[in-house]
Amino acid sequence: MHADLLFTGGPVLTPEGPGATAVAVTGERITAVGSAGELRELAGPRTEVVDLAGRLLLPGFQDAHVHPVPAGLELTQCDLTGLRTAEETVAAVRAYAEAHPERAWILGGGWSMEAFAGGTPTKELLDAVVPDRPVYLPNRDHHGAWVNSRALELAGIGRDTPDPADGRIERDASGVPSGTLQ
């Protein structure tokens, strides 16, 4: 079977590292990666051959968008970017809250889902370090937020609150909001 598209003539970045110089695509799938010599047999009369002319090919499935305003604000608030563990993240929230007793809300964000079991930190982690003020911290992709009990209370979010359209209130086994909002 011939490929629909064949990229050749440049280095190809793969998880295995450098070495590949060609990529074959059939339909909507990458069907082969290797050297131009290895993939030459996949070129047929209808194959479109793209000469990379020495340029690097980065095959991937990527979303290239940013949230510049919220990301910029996070840098001036409780900045959790770059932290890798739940312990580091909670310690940073504690330190920020202690350093800013005048702030009515603890705001910021940039936490990593990978730092928390299942990607969903709990309100109890925040309640332990900021029990008296609401905390609202969007994650790194800005499509989820971590909140404490005070923030949930002020927002009127409880056991009987339905999930919003196109969103989800993460809940514990008994149905109580757990502290992560999607």
Side-chain angles (χ1 to χ4, degrees):
M1 176 186 238
H2 294 128
D4 296 322
L5 185 60
L6 183 62
F7 294 94
T8 186
V12 177
L13 183 63
T14 70
E16 291 78 32
T21 59
V23 173
V25 178
T26 307
E28 295 181 5
R29 295 187 180 266
I30 295 172
T31 51
V33 177
S35 70
E38 293 168 336
L39 275 53
R40 184 174 297 126
E41 66 189 37
L42 298 177
R46 288 187 233 158
T47 301
E48 178 184 354
V49 178
V50 176
D51 182 2
L52 296 172
R55 293 174 298 209
L56 176 65
L57 177 64
L58 301 168
F61 308 97
Q62 301 166 3
D63 177 8
H65 79 275
V66 296
H67 301 263
V69 174
L73 287 172
E74 286 168 11
L75 296 175
T76 66
Q77 299 170 335
C78 184
D79 182 13
L80 305 174
T81 56
L83 302 178
R84 297 188 181 273
T85 68
E87 294 77 19
E88 288 176 335
T89 306
V90 171
V93 173
R94 178 193 304 270
Y96 182 85
E98 288 174 355
H100 298 282
E102 78 287 357
R103 302 256 165 108
W105 280 73
I106 301 301
L107 303 172
W111 55 272
S112 171
M113 293 173 65
E114 295 82 21
F116 299 92
T120 55
T122 65
K123 65 185 179 210
E124 288 80 12
L125 292 170
L126 288 175
D127 292 347
V129 296
V130 188
D132 56 339
R133 295 179 277 169
V135 179
Y136 177 81
L137 303 166
N139 64 6
R140 287 183 183 171
D141 70 11
H142 297 109
H143 296 284
W146 180 23
V147 297
N148 68 350
S149 293
R150 184 70 179 127
L152 288 169
E153 177 188 337
L154 289 172
I157 298 173
R159 177 190 305 272
D160 298 325
T161 305
D163 286 347
D166 297 324
R168 183 175 65 250
I169 300 167
E170 298 293 344
R171 300 170 193 275
D172 65 20
S174 66
V176 174
S178 63
T180 302
L181 308 173
Q182 308 286 350

